[in-house]
Structure formats: structure tokens, C-alpha cells
């Protein structure tokens, strides 16, 4: 192997030192530029992260405001629905009261008509009973009794 040949070792070491020196000087000249680029990139990344964090906080604030507005809207809608239900209930109660009043009036009128019909029927019943009693007495005795006598007999039977 030529690397291990002692006759070529000295020139190889010289070239090694020369190439190493040139590379060292190049790196020494480029290193500040690389550091500067690294710092600029780090600053840009930091600024971007800061902006992203600020945007995230703003988005969270907007979301919280949205949720608060949404809750307020839901509460308002619930209040409107409850008010509408209450108004409908009041309207229904008022209509029901009117219908109940009309029904009670109709019931009272019907009871009055029934009472009148009962009185009329009872009056007719008394007349029919008196007529029937007079007919029975006439058939049994052959003589029709006086109306006053029949009424007195019916009154005595009704009392006792």
C-alpha cells in the first residue's frame, strides 16, 4: 500500500497539513456566517412560534366570546319559548274560563227548563191523577165525584 510506504510518507503528511490548514482557515472564515444564519433562523423560528402562540390565544379568546354569545342566545331563546308557553297557557285559561262560564249558563238554563217542565208535568200529573181517580170511582160506583172531593182525596193521600 502506498500510504504506508516510508518514502511517500513525508509528502503525504505535508499535503495533510496543507489541506487541513486550508480547510481550517475556510471554516474559521465561514463559521461566523454560519453562526449568523443559525441565529437568524432561531430568531425567525422564535418569532413564528410567538406569533403562533398569540394567534392561538386570540383564537381561544374569540372561541370563548363565541361560546358566551351562544349561551346567551340559547338563554334568550329559552326565555322566549317560556314566555310564549306562558302566554299560550294564559290564553288557554282565559278561553277555558269563557267556555266554562258559557257551559254554566247553559246548564243553569237547562236546569231552569227542566224545573219548569217538572212543575208543568207535576201539574198535569195531578190533573191526570184526579181524572183517573174520578174515572175509577165512577166505574166502581157509577157516579162521577165532584172535582173538589177528588182534589181533597188526592191531597190527603199525598200528605200521608
Amino acid at each position: 500500500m502506498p500510504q504506508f510506504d516510508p518514502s511517500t510518507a513525508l509528502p503525504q503528511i505535508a499535503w495533510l497539513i496543507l489541506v487541513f490548514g486550508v480547510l481550517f482557515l475556510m471554516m474559521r472564515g465561514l463559521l461566523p456566517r454560519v453562526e449568523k444564519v443559525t441565529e437568524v433562523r432561531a430568531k425567525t423560528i422564535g418569532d413564528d412560534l410567538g406569533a403562533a402562540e398569540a394567534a392561538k390565544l386570540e383564537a381561544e379568546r374569540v372561541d370563548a366570546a363565541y361560546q358566551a354569545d351562544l349561551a346567551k342566545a340559547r338563554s334568550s331563546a329559552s326565555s322566549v319559548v317560556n314566555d310564549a308557553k306562558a302566554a299560550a297557557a294564559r290564553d288557554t285559561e282565559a278561553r277555558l274560563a269563557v267556555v266554562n262560564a258559557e257551559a254554566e249558563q247553559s246548564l243553569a238554563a237547562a236546569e231552569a227548563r227542566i224545573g219548569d217542565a217538572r212543575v208543568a208535568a207535576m201539574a198535569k200529573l195531578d190533573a191526570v191523577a184526579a181524572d183517573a181517580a174520578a174515572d175509577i170511582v165512577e166505574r166502581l160506583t157509577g157516579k162521577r165525584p165532584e172535582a173538589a172531593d177528588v182534589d181533597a182525596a188526592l191531597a190527603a193521600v199525598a200528605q200521608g
Side-chain angles (χ1 to χ4, degrees), residues 29-106:
L30 292 176
L31 190 60
R33 289 184 197 163
V34 170
E35 285 179 350
K36 187 175 181 182
V37 168
T38 304
E39 288 174 4
V40 168
R41 283 186 179 176
K43 184 179 182 305
T44 303
I45 290 171
D47 292 345
D48 289 347
L49 287 175
E53 184 67 27
K56 178 184 172 189
L57 291 175
E58 178 65 18
E60 288 174 353
R61 186 192 62 77
V62 168
D63 183 52
Y66 168 75
Q67 293 297 334
D69 288 346
L70 184 62
K72 189 185 298 180
R74 283 183 179 155
S75 173
S76 176
S78 176
S79 174
V80 167
V81 167
N82 289 339
D83 291 346
K85 284 181 181 178
R90 285 191 303 271
D91 186 39
T92 301
E93 287 176 13
R95 288 182 183 178
L96 187 59
V98 168
V99 168
N100 282 341
E102 290 174 356
E104 286 180 14
Q105 288 175 351
S106 296

Side-chain angles (χ1 to χ4, degrees), residues 20-36:
F20 181 76
V22 169
L23 287 175
F24 179 76
L25 292 175
M26 280 178 45
M27 289 309 284
R28 195 169 172 201
L30 292 176
L31 190 60
R33 289 184 197 163
V34 170
E35 285 179 350
K36 187 175 181 182

